[in-house]
Amino acid sequence: MYGFVYNPDVLDREGPVPIYRQVADLVRDQIERGELQAGDPVPSEAALEKEYDIARTTARRVARELREQGLAYTVQGEGTFVGQPGAPRSPKTMPLYQKIAGEVAQNIQNGDISPNRAIPGEKVMMRQYGVAKVTVRQAVAYLREQGWVFTVPYRGTYVNSPEKWPINRDS
């Protein structure tokens, strides 16, 4: 996903250097080699967790370590990015929740999810996209704001009828 492949031998799990610092060093190496450039997103907590077989709290400490080293900054609800706070993000960088919402909207338009049928639940989307619950909730809220879906409390989120969609399927 971000140019690294899981290799259990990469981390010294028995040594004196904390795992979060080892992973932060690996990400720093990517930045120094130019694989990650100013404005690019740093691998998400979920991606780090999966790639390095580490706990979510360890992945969270990686982002904090990179911030403390002055290599990255975090935008609440959008992620951690390479560079100094306030630095412009890459134009190609779209918030993850918008990418997820876009994919769900595409599935709705394609007829993969019919009107009045539930979209995948939070846990399913968290697993599918490797993201936190808050990111899934932002994606669903975004779909709701656009008119793709409606939510029934304690039941789920369902596809709106096509006339409520932001664009017409036949256009």
Side-chain angles (χ1 to χ4, degrees), residues 30 41 50 61 79 83 90 92 103 114 125 127 146:
Q30 287 185 301
K50 184 176 178 182
R61 290 186 77 179
S90 301
K92 64 181 183 254
E103 193 170 306
S114 301
M125 289 203 288
R127 272 195 307 276
Q146 291 188 320

Side-chain angles (χ1 to χ4, degrees), residues 83-163:
Q84 298 297 314
R89 296 195 296 274
S90 301
K92 64 181 183 254
T93 304
M94 174 189 294
L96 192 51
Y97 75 91
Q98 286 183 3
K99 290 180 184 177
I100 294 168
E103 193 170 306
V104 173
Q106 190 63 51
N107 290 338
I108 292 169
Q109 273 190 286
N110 293 344
D112 298 334
I113 311 172
S114 301
N116 292 318
R117 293 294 167 248
I119 65 170
E122 283 181 353
K123 288 182 181 175
V124 170
M125 289 203 288
M126 286 168 61
R127 272 195 307 276
Q128 180 178 351
Y129 295 104
V131 297
K133 185 184 293 186
V134 67
T135 305
V136 170
R137 287 183 175 177
Q138 285 178 305
V140 172
Y142 190 69
L143 287 165
R144 224 180 359 256
E145 288 167 18
Q146 291 188 320
W148 289 108
V149 298
F150 64 95
T151 299
V152 178
Y154 307 108
R155 297 264 316 158
T157 299
Y158 299 84
V159 175
N160 258 328
S161 56
E163 61 270 6

Side-chain angles (χ1 to χ4, degrees), residues 38-51:
D40 285 346
V42 170
S44 69
E45 290 174 6
L48 293 172
E49 186 179 2
K50 184 176 178 182
E51 293 294 333

Side-chain angles (χ1 to χ4, degrees), residues 30-45:
Q30 287 185 301
I31 294 168
E32 290 173 353
R33 286 193 310 268
E35 293 173 24
L36 291 173
Q37 299 184 355
D40 285 346
V42 170
S44 69
E45 290 174 6

Side-chain angles (χ1 to χ4, degrees), residues 10 12 14 24 26 34 42 68-69 71 86 89 99 112 123 134 140 156 164-165:
V10 164
D12 180 2
E14 305 298 321
L26 293 169
V42 170
E68 288 174 1
Q69 292 179 19
L71 296 170
R89 296 195 296 274
K99 290 180 184 177
D112 298 334
K123 288 182 181 175
V134 67
V140 172
K164 295 184 179 176
W165 295 354

